[in-house]
Amino acid sequence: MPLLRLAIQKSGRLTEESLELMQECGIDFNKSGGKLKASAYNFPLEFLFLRDDDIPEYIADGVADLGIVGENVIAEENGKLSAPVEIVERLGFSRCRLSLAVARGVEYGSVQSLQGKRIATSFPNILQGFLQENGVNAEIHEISGSVEIAPSIGLADAICDIVSSGSTLLSNGLVEVETIFRSEAVLLSRPNLPPAKQRTLDNLRFRIQSVNRAKHNKYILLNARNEAVSAILNLLPGMKSPTVLPLAESGWSSIHAVVQEDTFWEIIEKLRAAGAEGILVVPIEKMIV
Ligand code: PRT
Ligand code: ZN
């Protein structure tokens, strides 16, 4: 299979989980600190370690075929790239939002309150788009870091920055008033890869999907009296249909099924009410459909 080049953030919030995802996909490599490149031993993939902001352009100009970045970075770079790039997989980690915030105590009715105000941000394009959509004319101050201190030093009336837990805003006396963009890590690609590279990408995506699907599901095993089995089966969707096996003790069965994580607690309670006993819940490592 031809070699694909995947750009990963060199050192930052995306790095660890990007590399962990590759490992979960069964791709082994040796990343010894400081190097710009690494090759996988058992998959036709070469890693390039770069600053996240540079990744979309490296893909656009063909130096890399793929990259992992936060969606906020692509939304910000969009329109500035020398060629289009496309999101081929949402990866579910590094979730955050880009929000507007003002100093605590400042009156804020709606986005119209920002008319004529100064807003500090590292995301001028996304912010400009949002303000335009809302018919607001504000002065955008682009700063590259520590945006959250801008109001307290008198540089801006509001900020537009990435929020995850909200603790940075809180400790700087700021209140989130508007969410303008939601982001998670995504796999980017150049559109129209040569067919052979596309096949390698399809293979990689298949692995990523199997890993991520597994993370959202649990395998459950339980015992029940035979009379309770049909009521229990009605509660269990499963990948196909649940497995029912007789237990050594007569009159009892063991039931195995796959349950989605977000409905999990609700289902467990209903299963107990329906007569399920000895419920075991185990993580799934890969889920191939
Ligand atoms: O050096 P390089 O340019 O590669 O990295 P970087 O400093 O530009 O990016 P980095 O590593 O900080 O973030 C990479 C990506 O992680 C971002 O583009 C987002 O998609 C995503 N991400 C997820 C975050 C956060 N969560 C996050 N909390 N990026 C930044 N933050 C910062 C935010 O700027 C603010 O200062 O954390 C602070 C807020 O966090 P809370 O938890 O206090 O709300
Ligand atoms: Zn960056």
Side-chain angles (χ1 to χ4, degrees):
M1 281 196 277
L3 201 64
L4 275 181
R5 278 184 152 186
L6 169 66
I8 283 181
Q9 190 186 25
K10 187 171 165 53
S11 118
R13 288 168 200 269
L14 299 162
T15 311
E16 205 181 303
E17 279 172 287
S18 302
L19 295 176
E20 206 175 277
L21 176 63
M22 292 302 115
Q23 266 151 2
E24 288 168 334
C25 287
I27 298 171
D28 295 329
F29 54 93
N30 179 8
K31 190 192 184 257
S32 41
K35 273 199 285 179
L36 183 68
K37 277 206 266 183
S39 293
Y41 306 129
N42 55 359
F43 196 81
L45 198 63
E46 185 174 60
F47 299 95
L48 294 184
F49 299 102
L50 301 166
R51 282 203 56 196
D52 66 347
D53 318 67
D54 297 335
I55 290 177
E57 183 53 42
Y58 272 91
I59 297 171
D61 67 20
V63 174
D65 304 299
L66 308 172
I68 296 178
V69 289
E71 251 176 308
N72 51 298
V73 170
I74 311 152
E76 185 59 27
E77 300 293 315
N78 226 344
K80 292 196 255 170
L81 299 175
S82 61
V85 296
E86 65 182 6
I87 295 174
V88 290
E89 207 63 61
R90 311 185 76 78
L91 303 176
F93 60 87
S94 283
R95 286 184 193 278
C96 58
R97 54 196 189 270
L98 190 62
S99 291
L100 282 162
V102 297
R104 200 183 302 129
V106 166
E107 211 175 301
Y108 182 91
S110 72
V111 58
Q112 300 305 325
S113 340
L114 297 171
Q115 203 70 253
K117 297 281 166 58
R118 296 161 306 161
I119 311 174
T121 189
S122 309
F123 296 92
N125 279 339
I126 303 179
L127 175 59
Q128 185 58 47
F130 174 81
L131 294 176
Q132 248 161 23
E133 267 170 37
N134 288 281
V136 172
N137 229 323
E139 207 180 295
I140 298 177
H141 280 259
E142 182 175 353
I143 48 181
S144 57
S146 305
V147 173
E148 63 279 358
I149 64 165
S152 65
I153 59 170
L155 185 68
D157 306 298
I159 67 159
C160 170
D161 199 11
I162 290 178
V163 182
S164 143
S165 67
S167 65
T168 303
L169 292 184
L170 193 70
S171 63
N172 284 281
L174 299 167
V175 183
E176 189 175 356
V177 290
E178 214 83 56
T179 297
I180 70 172
F181 189 83
R182 290 191 186 274
S183 176
E184 65 184 272
V186 292
L187 180 66
L188 278 186
S189 165
R190 218 173 38 255
N192 309 316
L193 286 176
K197 282 193 173 187
Q198 184 62 45
R199 280 196 295 278
T200 311
L201 171 57
D202 291 344
N203 187 324
L204 179 64
R205 287 185 59 198
F206 178 76
R207 293 186 186 203
I208 292 173
Q209 286 164 5
S210 302
V211 167
N212 280 342
R213 203 177 291 122
K215 284 183 186 162
H216 295 125
N217 289 277
K218 300 275 181 229
Y219 193 70
I220 63 173
L221 306 95
L222 59 89
N223 298 329
R225 289 188 177 281
N226 289 346
E227 307 85 82
V229 167
S230 68
I232 289 176
L233 292 185
N234 282 333
L235 296 169
L236 294 169
M239 273 171 90
K240 209 157 189 191
S241 84
T243 309
V244 182
L245 300 166
L247 284 188
E249 190 179 336
S250 77
W252 283 78
S253 297
S254 168
I255 301 176
H256 304 186
V258 174
V259 172
Q260 273 188 16
E261 188 147 47
D262 47 0
T263 56
F264 174 72
W265 287 110
E266 203 187 316
I267 288 186
I268 294 290
E269 276 166 30
K270 288 185 184 157
L271 289 172
R272 276 162 47 99
E277 290 181 19
I279 304 174
L280 288 182
V281 180
V282 286
I284 299 171
E285 196 185 290
K286 307 274 188 306
M287 200 163 144
I288 320 282
V289 291

